[in-house]
Amino acid sequence: MRVLAATWFSVLVMVATASPADSIAIAATARSMQPGELVVLTMTVPGPAEGVRLHAFNREIPVYRVDAATWRGLIGIDLGVRPGTYLASVEARSG
């Protein structure tokens, strides 16, 4: 199931510029948006990036490079998370 936003988790993107051409495309995929589940966040940057940082649930989430413009992070929803909207921030560094 492809999910862009849900009551359990939503995405806030932070980029240095406001230009749509410089924005980061984000797709969140999960079997279900509930505690105990895993959310796969795929981030596509507009150009090559040295690194991407992902923060969710008040912690930094490790990400890995899929290709030159695509990065992925795995976000676990802890069992103790209460229903609500939660934000994630994504920052890309270019060389």
Side-chain angles (χ1 to χ4, degrees):
M1 177 192 320
R2 185 180 194 121
V3 179
L4 295 179
T7 57
W8 283 98
F9 186 77
S10 66
V11 177
L12 168 69
V13 179
M14 295 172 23
V15 292
T17 64
S19 168
D22 292 335
S23 63
I24 300 170
I26 297 175
T29 308
R31 181 177 63 175
S32 177
M33 292 289 191
Q34 64 184 14
E37 292 295 333
L38 179 69
V39 179
V40 179
L41 207 64
T42 302
M43 298 144 291
T44 305
V45 296
E50 258 182 37
V52 171
R53 293 181 66 184
L54 169 61
H55 287 90
F57 297 109
N58 297 318
R59 64 180 187 259
E60 186 164 353
I61 306 296
V63 297
Y64 62 94
R65 183 189 306 259
V66 176
D67 58 39
T70 307
W71 296 73
R72 211 167 264 148
L74 305 175
I75 303 170
I77 302 175
D78 291 339
L79 291 172
V81 171
R82 302 186 88 178
T85 299
Y86 296 88
L87 301 178
S89 66
V90 177
E91 299 173 292
R93 296 180 311 275
S94 60

